[in-house]
């Protein structure tokens, strides 16, 4: 009886301490005492979309309409000249939640295209963080079903996009891209408490181990198909991160081969297996899948009489030395590494597909352009292009697609 009483007192003391600590943290850090704002809408089980939200670290809000398009800053509304509609699709670089609306890729492209008065260019920009080329193709299908476009820009991020073709597991017999829904991560209830967040943060700083407090859900209700691999910190010790990323790529291929899906936005890693030409069965499958995507993209252009451009954005890790794990350090740990490997892999897929449209490969333009990406001082270790990088890329793109 005394034992039970003592255990009860101990439990009460622990509970009281937890409550005091939680409320103390909420008083000390009121700015953290807010539920995380949703950044994506999963109401469509086949195609998630970005929603308006304020950036966590930067003083800007990214605004999206009900269709998932970035808000347009139009230059020629009411103009008498003929209109040309452009569809720009891609990943978080196109969503560009780290930039204000006027500096987002779609609006910058619109401004540059409208520098002449021959046409009124209207750019619908549909980007979603976590997208790979497969989900971008699904977006092209859906958006061209809903509206007519004169030109489609298909963005590929030569950093982590190729791995999505394994992670998302959307292929059937490696021939036809099938949309079987997607997995995405959701936070556990404990993430509502600041004390739990503090414990996670302390654990990571002391033990270099990240507690992943999420679970996976499938958009069509098949959550048993979702698999959560080990978290990889791509900016940890380069040699350690390199080995872990190779291990992760092999793990993801095994997950895909077993018919399961890795949730999108689950710490998408740099495609080190492609960059280092690692001897894995996944590389051959990746090339087949990439080729199939660009082949269908060409078929959509032909069927709907649309012009197209594929925009290849190189990884910051391959064109700069801004962060740990960039090209200089990769070359030390990987005998077959070449900074162009990932971009060339994408180009081979395009060439093998029979694609006939335009291609804008930004590698040469972005090489050694540290100012085209966020610096550590600007946004820590973020790997997206910044305002300057967007301007440079859209300037080249506008020259390619201008009628």
């Amino acid at each position: 009886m005394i034992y039970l009483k003592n255990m009860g007192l101990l439990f009460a003391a622990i509970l009281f301490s937890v409550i005091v600590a939680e409320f103390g943290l909420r008083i000390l850090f009121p700015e953290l005492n807010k539920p995380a704002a949703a950044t994506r809408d999963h109401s469509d089980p086949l195609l998630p979309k970005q929603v308006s939200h304020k950036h966590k670290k930067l003083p800007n809000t990214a605004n999206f309409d009900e269709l998932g398009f970035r808000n347009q800053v139009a230059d020629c509304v009411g103009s008498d000249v003929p209109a040309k509609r452009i569809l720009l699709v891609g990943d978080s670089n196109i969503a560009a939640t780290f930039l204000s609306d006027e500096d987002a890729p779609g609006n910058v492209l619109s401004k540059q295209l409208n520098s002449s008065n021959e046409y009124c260019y209207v750019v619908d920009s549909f980007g979603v963080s976590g997208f790979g080329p497969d989900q971008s193709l699904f977006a092209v299908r859906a958006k061209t079903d809903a509206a007519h476009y004169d030109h489609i820009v298909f963005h590929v991020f030569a950093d982590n996009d190729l791995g999505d073709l394994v992670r998302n597991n959307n292929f059937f017999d490696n021939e036809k891209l099938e949309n079987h829904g997607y997995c995405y991560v959701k936070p556990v209830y404990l993430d509502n408490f600041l004390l739990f967040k503090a414990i996670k943060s302390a654990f990571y700083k002391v033990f270099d181990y990240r507690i992943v407090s999420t679970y996976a859900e499938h958009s069509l209700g098949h959550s048993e198909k979702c698999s959560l691999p080990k978290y990889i910190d791509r900016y940890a010790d380069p040699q350690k991160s390199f080995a872990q990323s190779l291990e992760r790529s092999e793990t993801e291929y095994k997950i895909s081969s077993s018919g399961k899906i890795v949730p999108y936005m689950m710490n998408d890693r740099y495609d080190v297996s492609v960059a280092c030409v690692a001897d894995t069965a996944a590389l051959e499958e990746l090339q087949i899948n990439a080729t199939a995507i660009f082949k269908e993209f060409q078929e959509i252009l032909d069927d709907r009489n649309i012009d197209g451009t594929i925009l290849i954005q190189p990884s910051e890790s391959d064109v700069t030395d801004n962060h740990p794990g960039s090209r200089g350090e990769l070359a030390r740990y990987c005998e077959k590494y070449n900074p162009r490997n990932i971009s060339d892999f994408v180009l081979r897929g395009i060439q093998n597909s029979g694609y006939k449209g335009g291609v804008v490969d930004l590698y040469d333009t972005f090489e050694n352009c540290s100012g085209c990406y966020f610096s550590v001082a600007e946004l820590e270790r973020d790997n997206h292009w910044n305002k300057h990088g967007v301007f440079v890329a859209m300037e080249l793109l506008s020259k390619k697609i201008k009628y």
Side-chain angles (χ1 to χ4, degrees):
M1 192 69 180
I2 294 176
Y3 173 78
L4 292 176
K5 181 180 178 180
N6 289 338
M7 288 298 296
L9 289 172
L10 177 62
F11 176 77
I14 293 173
L15 181 61
F16 178 76
S17 300
V18 167
I19 292 173
V20 169
E22 176 65 25
F23 278 96
L25 287 170
R26 292 185 180 217
I27 293 170
L28 291 172
F29 304 101
E31 71 280 4
L32 300 178
N33 186 25
K34 298 176 182 177
T39 58
R40 287 170 293 280
D41 180 349
H42 297 290
S43 58
D44 183 341
L46 298 179
L47 190 68
K49 61 185 178 183
Q50 209 81 44
V51 296
S52 300
H53 67 282
K54 188 179 184 306
H55 196 277
K56 291 181 180 178
K57 298 178 181 178
L58 299 175
N60 66 272
T61 299
N63 295 293
F64 297 83
D65 67 16
E66 66 279 0
L67 298 177
F69 292 122
R70 189 70 187 261
N71 275 16
Q72 295 186 15
V73 181
D75 282 335
C76 56
V77 173
S79 172
D80 311 357
V81 298
K84 292 290 184 181
R85 293 195 67 183
I86 313 293
L87 175 63
L88 173 61
V89 297
D91 65 0
S92 53
N93 291 281
I94 300 304
T97 60
F98 41 82
L99 296 174
S100 60
D101 290 343
E102 58 268 27
D103 295 323
N107 285 313
V108 173
L109 178 62
S110 176
K111 291 176 187 176
Q112 293 175 344
L113 288 170
N114 287 314
S115 58
S116 68
N117 296 321
E118 189 174 359
Y119 292 103
C120 171
Y121 291 91
V122 178
V123 180
D124 286 340
S125 180
F126 187 84
V128 181
S129 55
F131 265 22
D134 48 351
Q135 289 173 310
S136 290
L137 184 61
F138 295 150
V140 169
R141 288 180 186 172
K143 298 307 180 183
T144 54
D145 279 342
H148 170 72
Y149 290 96
D150 299 287
H151 201 113
I152 300 174
V153 179
F154 193 111
H155 168 271
V156 180
F157 189 30
D159 177 290
N160 57 32
D161 271 8
L162 294 173
D164 288 326
L165 303 184
V166 168
R167 286 186 282 267
N168 298 337
N169 206 6
N170 278 316
F171 281 84
F172 176 74
D173 291 336
N174 291 328
E175 290 291 337
K176 180 67 175 176
L177 184 65
E178 300 288 346
N179 195 340
H180 301 297
Y182 55 90
C183 292
Y184 58 100
V185 293
K186 297 184 71 174
V188 297
Y189 182 72
L190 282 174
D191 269 323
N192 293 315
F193 299 98
L194 294 188
L195 181 59
F196 181 63
K197 293 179 181 178
I199 291 172
K200 288 199 303 179
S201 178
F203 220 83
Y204 178 62
K205 290 179 179 179
V206 174
F207 300 105
D208 192 26
Y209 179 83
R210 190 180 296 273
I211 299 174
V212 180
S213 56
T214 54
Y215 66 96
E217 189 165 304
H218 192 274
S219 62
L220 291 172
H222 307 303
S223 296
E224 73 282 356
K225 294 183 177 180
C226 304
S227 179
L228 289 169
K230 181 182 177 182
Y231 184 94
I232 299 293
D233 184 351
R234 61 183 288 173
Y235 298 114
D237 174 72
Q239 186 171 12
K240 179 180 177 182
S241 179
F242 167 77
Q244 287 179 332
S245 293
L246 277 177
E247 180 184 351
R248 167 78 178 263
S249 68
E250 293 172 359
T251 298
E252 288 170 351
Y253 181 67
K254 290 177 182 177
I255 290 172
S256 176
S257 299
S258 70
K260 293 193 173 185
I261 305 165
V262 176
Y264 87 118
M265 279 299 291
M266 177 55 190
N267 179 229
D268 280 359
R269 57 173 176 77
Y270 171 79
D271 288 319
V272 66
S273 56
V274 179
C276 294
V277 197
D279 186 19
T280 65
L283 288 182
E284 182 179 351
E285 182 176 337
L286 280 178
Q287 194 72 80
I288 293 171
N289 293 351
T291 299
I293 284 175
F294 299 129
K295 179 181 179 182
E296 183 175 342
F297 180 51
Q298 181 62 57
E299 291 171 354
I300 291 173
L301 297 177
D302 289 340
D303 290 345
R304 306 187 182 192
N305 193 28
I306 305 172
D307 295 324
T309 300
I310 296 175
L311 176 65
I312 305 174
Q313 176 188 350
S315 169
E316 178 191 37
S317 297
D318 290 329
V319 292
T320 78
D321 293 299
N322 284 2
H323 297 124
S326 294
R327 55 186 177 175
E329 290 171 332
L330 278 166
R332 289 171 56 197
Y333 306 120
C334 177
E335 183 180 349
K336 296 182 180 179
Y337 170 74
N338 185 298
R340 277 219 60 122
N341 279 346
I342 302 180
S343 294
D344 285 346
F345 195 95
V346 176
L347 285 169
R348 281 196 299 274
I350 293 171
Q351 292 163 359
N352 296 338
S353 70
Y355 171 73
K356 298 175 290 188
V359 176
V360 174
D361 180 4
L362 295 172
Y363 185 93
D364 290 339
T365 302
F366 274 46
E367 187 177 17
N368 296 320
C369 184
S370 296
C372 291
Y373 297 89
F374 285 105
S375 67
V376 173
E378 290 174 315
L379 199 55
E380 296 180 350
R381 299 177 300 188
D382 190 279
N383 68 330
H384 295 102
W385 51 18
N386 59 13
K387 179 179 176 179
H388 175 66
V390 168
F391 181 86
V392 170
M394 295 304 110
E395 187 173 44
L396 287 174
L397 183 59
S398 67
K399 293 176 181 177
K400 188 74 172 181
I401 68 178
K402 214 164 194 177
Y403 288 86

